[in-house]
């Protein structure tokens, strides 16, 4: 056992480090403000101060990690989130397992970004630097204050602390907790860098395209991490929560989805600004909004404002966040208004049939989705406030609205790249559309003809959540959603493949082989083709989402030797098996898997884990047998040690595999798009100064990318691995038919202790009793609507997963819909106006007398040719 | 293992603290003006922005051509848009050129001062012919000089963009050749191409890569230096530009 040589007063050092962070951040803030007036020595001082601040953050994190490793239970946080039996790696993950620590962890990641940014900025963006540093230090100050007052991870017990800690919740003791929160945090925290850059541009008034270039790699890296974090969140949910789904539209999930949506919108609209110097206000706004959303998301998950299965315990930290958000909103609005004259540029577009306009539509849909998700996430609070009644907005509501928007977005992702910048002529666009359109029709036809035979019909009998005309329209759309999805996926995939093919063809005409042509094509326009790979990944993810329409579930209670049969699969139960390790008891139930009557020799072993410290909370370990066509998802509900009889629930989830595959393509696309060109990393001037430095940098980036690729490559292994962890709702739900599922899907458990899961997932005894009661009434012939109405009457509005849409409550969906329609109108009106502006400008130019080309002109012309040739050679 | 990990974190904490204190010390020194700093001047930055815009336009033109070749844009549309973008690009090239005007004035002034103050006044011609190197340095910064101008603009003007250049750029130069020799080959100061150690001129761009001994004090200077770093004498044409292959 490690025995410290001297017993340092660790809590004191921790507090000291936090105080030093504050002091150093304040000092650096002052310096950078001073440097803003152009005093170079102050900028140098501010840069050093930034590094110092980051150093203090490192110290604080390391001190806390040390306290965990040495079981310093004087510290409340350590005692609450660890115990003596935990292995060292869980002691490390405990760093972000609880609220206070996770805020410190947040600060730590931000210091990583900040240090990297400061190094990267050396010798360039000199005017922006002071403001960038000042903004970042402001954010540090906020987190420093949080760490010192409401969320101090170094707070101690007054009486010296317990002998052993409470231990980390078994739910958090799995490798997901080791990788999911850090990558999600990386995706959240990172937005403070683009934000500080844009805010610096606002403060300094340097609002040309400089900041867009500067922010791009940082926005892209952060976006990639956010995507990775979301993907891992889905995997975690799928593997650990044991309900068979990957996304539940939970407030915490939504909180990370919203910055992703606005961030995606930014990545695209930034392209317009780079090309056309337009949309400056909009881009500034999007970055600020994305950053704001990350803070808002953190607030949502920390304040306990909205109940969620993932949320941290409620605390008074919310007040601090509210004030910070108010401050941010005021400051951002003021800065934008102040700079408005500099921001509004001349907006002109040649044609509404142009890439520019496609990007506008893309932004419109993404923002529409954000508004919808935001409104629905906040609805419970709004409803409470306005109507004095709690309400719940469950997955059916989200699915209803997000599916059509998602598919529209996907379609546009296929169409957009086919449209040329500035002006697409109808003829060449039609040419480009031919192959994708044919593919789409073929994909749809094949699906319609063959799908039904293999249990994947193109038209399904989906759910209708609302009555009335709109409800009926949406119901029809949802019935046809699988067909629409396969048509769209076919279209988009074909258009992307065509983009690669046409690009390669151009190069092959110059005599390159297919492989070289493809390679060089991607290498010389990494950004574009990386983006296309991202799009392709999204297509595959949609294929996976579509599979959800064909989910099947079976239940069985078996004695050893018994078999259950699900179409092509046979599962033979062999018997229970018990294993023990220092922290828990594990009971596996082995089942032999047979497919098409041929024994595969494969076993699936769903299990229950009983943790030593929390025996009352056994966890359910699902076993997943994953194949591209479908996943077999096996849950063991109960096992009787005497009779060895076990009850199982088996889900067949088609195409889920493609979600993970698509997700990896998305990340691969990000890597391609970001793959640094040394020329971009170091300006020519710096490159001149640092020969070996350049090589080291190239080496480092290669190593980094290799690591990232290795990481990506290992993802599928995780996806099919069996996890060492647990489920929030131990137990199993038995659903007999679709009608039942529809009903239980809509009703929420009211046991008071389970965060209102739907009756089709909640396994607590209250829910079990309720299901039995409802089944009896269904059997007696009561229709679903009556049952829902009486359920609502009995347990209140909040017990229904689809919020009431009576009277003014319609605003929940009418609001976003109106916003969407108005936004669409605005996009079209703006497009028209810009087009007119262009036409007028062109006329004016035509009226001017032509200037005869001068000799100097010819010189510049040939210089330009030189440049173009060099550009060509470089690639 | 169990012993190593706590020590690791303790060391990390100490490292964090020491790093922080070190930078804090640096920061305070810089803030008090104890250390000298150079962060480039305004004209230099405007130039950087122009260069960035030029790069974006060149990128755009090349991309447009590519999209045309790939059949996404009709030839008529291509012609219109291409002409527009070229006009813009030429505008930027012109602006880049005009950028140099203040440098020229400054250079002229420096030459005057130098000629008046230096005992080596006979070396005026050396300074002028230093142009070759300066030209190199200049293209490296601008990389946009129309070749036609080489002949049309008087040499002295060119010469000293570099002389008037901010200290940072001058300082960075020794390290270029230092690092070159460390790797056992010479990196061209202009195009970064590696050259054999005994090379005199770059294989890629023909700029001078061999070090330049000072005619007055024999101190060895960087290949692209215009003045001797020790005695300040203008570097002689003898080993410099005249022998340069055309
Ligand atoms: C879920 C939806 C989408 C995601 C996740 C997504 C993601 C991305 C990403 C990450 C990039 C690379 C950007 C960069 O490197 O800076 C990109 C590029 C691109 N996206 Fe999307 N996108 C989506 C939808 C769309 C839509 C609807 C359009 C249609 C207008 C579109 C058009 C494009 C184009 C044309 C590019 C290439 C830009 C270039 O030429 O460099 N995307 N996309
Ligand atoms: Zn319950
Ligand atoms: Zn429950």
């Amino acid at each position: 056992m490690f025995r410290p040589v001297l017993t340092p007063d660790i809590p004191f050092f921790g507090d000291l480090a936090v105080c030093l962070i504050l002091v150093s951040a304040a000092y650096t803030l002052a310096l950078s403000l001073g440097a803003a007036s152009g005093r170079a020595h102050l900028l140098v001082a501010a840069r050093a101060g930034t590094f110092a601040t980051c150093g203090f953050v490192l110290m604080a994190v390391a001190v806390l990690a040390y306290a965990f490793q040495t079981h310093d239970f004087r510290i409340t946080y350590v005692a609450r989130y660890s115990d003596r039996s935990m292995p060292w790696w869980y002691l490390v993950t405990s760093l972000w397992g609880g609220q206070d620590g996770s805020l410190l962890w947040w600060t730590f990641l931000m210091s990583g970004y900040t240090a990297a940014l400061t190094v990267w900025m050396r010798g360039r963006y000199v005017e922006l630097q002071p403001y960038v540093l000042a903004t970042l230090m402001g954010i540090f100050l906020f987190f420093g204050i949080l760490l010192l007052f409401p969320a101090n991870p170094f707070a101690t017990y007054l009486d010296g602390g317990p002998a052993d800690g409470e231990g980390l919740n078994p739910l958090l003791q799995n490798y997901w907790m080791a990788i999911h929160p850090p990558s999600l945090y990386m995706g959240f925290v990172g937005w403070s860098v683009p934000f500080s850059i844009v805010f610096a541009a606002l403060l300094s008034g340097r609002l040309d395209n400089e900041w867009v270039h500067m922010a791009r790699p940082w926005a892209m890296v952060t976006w990639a991490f956010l995507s990775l974090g979301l993907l891992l969140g889905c995997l975690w949910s799928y593997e650990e929560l044991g309900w068979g789904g990957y996304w539940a539209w939970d407030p915490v999930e939504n909180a990370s989805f919203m910055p992703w949506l606005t961030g995606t919108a930014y990545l695209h609209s930034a392209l317009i600004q780079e090309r056309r110097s337009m949309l400056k206000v909009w881009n500034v706004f999007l970055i600020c909004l994305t950053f704001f959303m990350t803070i808002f998301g953190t607030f949502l998950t920390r304040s306990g404002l909205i109940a969620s299965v993932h949320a941290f315990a409620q605390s008074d930290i919310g007040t601090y966040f509210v004030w910070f958000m108010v401050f941010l909103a005021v400051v951002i609005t003021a800065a934008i208004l102040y700079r408005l004259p500099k921001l509004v540029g001349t907006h002109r577009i040649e044609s509404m049939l142009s890439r520019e306009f496609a990007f506008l539509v893309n932004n419109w849909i993404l923002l529409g989705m954000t508004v919808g998700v935001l409104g629905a996430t906040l609805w419970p609070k709004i409803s409470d406030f306005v109507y004095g009644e709690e309400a719940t907005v469950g997955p059916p509501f989200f699915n209803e609205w997000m599916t059509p928007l998602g598919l529209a977005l996907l379609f546009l992702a296929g169409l957009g790249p086919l449209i040329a910048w500035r002006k697409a002529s109808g003829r060449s666009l039609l040419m480009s559309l031919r192959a994708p359109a044919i593919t789409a029709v073929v994909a749809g036809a094949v699906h319609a003809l063959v799908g039904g035979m293999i249990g994947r019909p193109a038209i399904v009998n989906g759910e209708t959540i609302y009555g009335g005309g709109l409800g009926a329209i949406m119901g029809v759309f949802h019935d046809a959603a699988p067909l629409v999805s396969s048509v769209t996926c076919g279209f988009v995939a074909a258009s992307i493949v065509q983009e690669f093919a046409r690009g390669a063809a151009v190069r092959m005409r110059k005599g390159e082989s297919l492989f070289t042509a493809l390679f060089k094509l991607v290498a010389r326009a990494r950004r574009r083709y990386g983006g296309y790979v991202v799009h392709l990944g999204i297509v595959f993810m949609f294929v996976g989402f579509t599979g959800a329409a064909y989910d099947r579930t079976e239940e069985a209670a078996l004695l050893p030797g018994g078999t259950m049969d699900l179409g092509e699969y046979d599962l033979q139960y062999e018997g229970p098996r018990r294993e023990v390790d220092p922290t828990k008891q594990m009971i596996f139930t082995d089942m032999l898997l047979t497919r098409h009557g041929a024994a595969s020799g494969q076993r699936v072993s769903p299990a229950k884990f009983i943790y030593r410290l929390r025996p009352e909370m056994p966890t359910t370990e699902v076993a997943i047998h994953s194949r591209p066509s479908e996943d077999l998802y096996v849950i063991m509900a109960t096992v009787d040690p005497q009779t060895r009889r076990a009850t199982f629930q088996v889900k067949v989830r088609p195409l889920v595999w493609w979600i993970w595959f698509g997700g990896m393509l998305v990340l691969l696309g990000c890597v391609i798009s970001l793959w640094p060109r040394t020329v971009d990393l170091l300006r020519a001037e710096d490159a001149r100064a640092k020969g070996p430095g350049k090589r080291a940098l190239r080496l480092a980036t290669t190593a980094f990318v290799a690591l990232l690729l290795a990481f990506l490559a290992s993802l599928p292994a995780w996806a099919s691995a069996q996890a060492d962890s647990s489920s929030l709702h131990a137990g199993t739900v038995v659903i007999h038919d679709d009608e039942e599922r529809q009903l239980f899907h809509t009703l929420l458990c009211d046991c008071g202790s389970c965060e209102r899961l739907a009756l089709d997932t909640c396994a607590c005894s209250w829910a079990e009793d309720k299901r039995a009661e409802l089944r009896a009434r269904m059997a007696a012939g009561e229709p679903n609507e009556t049952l829902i109405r009486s359920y609502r009457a009995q347990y209140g509005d909040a017990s229904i997963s689809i919020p009431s849409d009576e009277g003014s409550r319609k605003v929940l969906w009418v609001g976003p819909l109106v916003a969407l329609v108005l936004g669409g109108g605005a996009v079209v009106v703006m497009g028209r106006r810009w087009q007119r502006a262009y036409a007028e400008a062109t006329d004016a130019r035509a009226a001017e007398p032509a200037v005869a080309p001068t000799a100097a002109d010819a010189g510049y012309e040939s210089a330009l040719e030189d440049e173009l040739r060099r550009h060509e050679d470089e690639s | 293992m169990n012993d190593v990990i706590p020590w690791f974190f303790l060391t990390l904490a100490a490292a964090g603290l020491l790093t922080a204190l070190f930078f804090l010390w640096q920061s305070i020194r810089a803030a008090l003006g104890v250390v000298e700093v150079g962060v480039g001047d305004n004209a230099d930055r405007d130039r950087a922005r122009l260069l960035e815009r030029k790069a974006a336009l060149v990128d755009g033109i090349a991309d447009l051509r590519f999209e045309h070749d790939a059949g996404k844009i009709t030839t008529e549309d291509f012609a219109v848009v291409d002409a527009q973008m070229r006009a813009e690009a030429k505008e930027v090239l012109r602006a880049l050129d005009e950028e140099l005007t203040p440098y020229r004035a400054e250079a002229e002034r420096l030459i005057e001062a130098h000629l008046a103050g230096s005992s080596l006044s006979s070396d005026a011609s050396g300074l002028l012919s230093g142009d070759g190197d300066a030209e190199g340095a200049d293209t490296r910064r601008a990389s946009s000089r129309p070749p036609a101008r080489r002949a049309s603009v008087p040499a002295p003007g060119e010469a000293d963009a570099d002389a008037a250049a901010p200290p940072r750029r001058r300082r960075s130069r020794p390290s270029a050749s230092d690092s070159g020799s460390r790797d056992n080959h010479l990196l061209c100061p202009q195009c970064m191409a590696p050259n054999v150690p005994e090379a005199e001129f770059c294989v890629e761009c023909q700029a001078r890569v061999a070090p330049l001994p000072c005619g007055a004090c024999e101190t060895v200077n960087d290949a692209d230096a215009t003045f001797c770093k020790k005695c300040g004498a203008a570097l002689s044409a003898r080993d410099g530009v005249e022998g340069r292959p055309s």
Side-chain angles (χ1 to χ4, degrees), chain A residues 328-607:
Chain A
L328 275 180
V330 170
V331 170
I332 291 171
T333 316
I336 293 184
L337 287 181
Y338 177 63
R339 291 296 181 194
L340 211 51
K342 280 202 159 186
L343 277 168
V344 287
T346 39
H347 288 88
R348 288 173 191 162
I349 58 175
E350 278 87 330
S351 160
M352 307 258 281
L353 197 61
S354 61
R355 174 97 41 101
E356 289 89 324
F357 195 72
F359 278 145
L360 283 186
V361 179
N362 151 321
N363 269 230
W364 164 59
I365 296 179
L366 284 165
L367 265 284
M369 289 172 87
T370 312
V371 172
V373 173
L374 180 66
T377 308
L378 290 180
W379 184 251
K381 278 293 141 188
I382 298 172
S383 165
D384 188 24
F385 186 74
V386 178
Y387 305 108
E389 66 193 21
E390 273 191 51
T392 310
V393 186
F397 179 86
F398 283 96
N399 289 337
E400 190 83 357
W401 290 100
M402 290 302 140
T403 313
L405 287 177
L407 285 171
L409 191 67
L410 183 66
F411 172 73
L412 209 60
L415 186 62
L418 299 182
I419 306 178
W421 282 102
R422 294 187 186 236
K423 184 173 180 221
S425 69
R427 196 156 45 85
S428 53
L429 183 60
L430 280 182
M431 287 281 290
S432 310
L433 277 174
R434 207 164 47 189
I438 291 172
T439 317
V441 171
V442 169
V446 168
H447 190 181
L449 293 177
V450 181
M453 288 178 231
I454 55 168
R456 311 267 191 278
I459 308 285
V460 293
N461 191 5
E463 48 197 315
T464 310
I465 67 166
Y466 286 125
L470 189 75
I473 294 172
M474 300 202 64
V476 169
F477 180 86
H478 275 260
D479 290 351
L483 181 64
V484 176
S485 175
S486 49
V487 168
T488 317
C489 288
F491 175 80
V492 182
S495 98
I496 296 169
V497 170
Q498 177 178 277
E499 278 296 290
F500 278 91
R502 290 206 296 193
V506 172
R507 295 194 77 94
M508 282 165 76
R509 255 177 260 148
K510 292 185 204 153
E512 284 175 10
S513 73
L514 175 65
F515 183 76
T516 333
L518 267 178
F519 181 80
K520 286 205 166 167
L521 180 72
V522 175
R524 61 163 272 165
R526 282 166 211 186
R527 176 167 189 179
R528 164 173 306 156
Y529 291 99
Y532 292 165
V533 172
V534 170
H535 291 176
L536 199 60
I538 301 275
V539 171
F540 284 116
M541 294 183 80
F542 266 85
V543 169
F545 298 149
T546 307
Y550 313 118
D551 289 351
R552 279 177 294 147
T553 308
E554 296 284 337
E555 324 276 339
L558 301 175
L559 283 167
T563 52
M564 67 189 287
D565 146 46
L566 288 97
E568 60 185 271
Y569 301 100
D570 277 316
L571 282 166
Q572 185 179 27
Y573 173 43
E574 297 184 320
R577 168 166 60 86
R578 189 166 160 271
E579 283 179 22
V580 181
D581 77 8
T583 57
K584 60 185 178 292
Q585 206 191 129
M586 296 166 279
I587 300 168
F588 294 96
T589 44
D590 296 321
M591 302 179 95
L592 194 63
L593 177 64
T594 314
R595 235 186 109 222
H596 291 306
S600 62
Q602 272 168 320
R603 258 184 199 82
V604 289
S605 308

Side-chain angles (χ1 to χ4, degrees), chain A residues 749-754 762 764 766-767:
Chain A
C749 177
D750 198 39
C751 67
S753 63
C754 66
C762 189
C764 73
W766 191 97

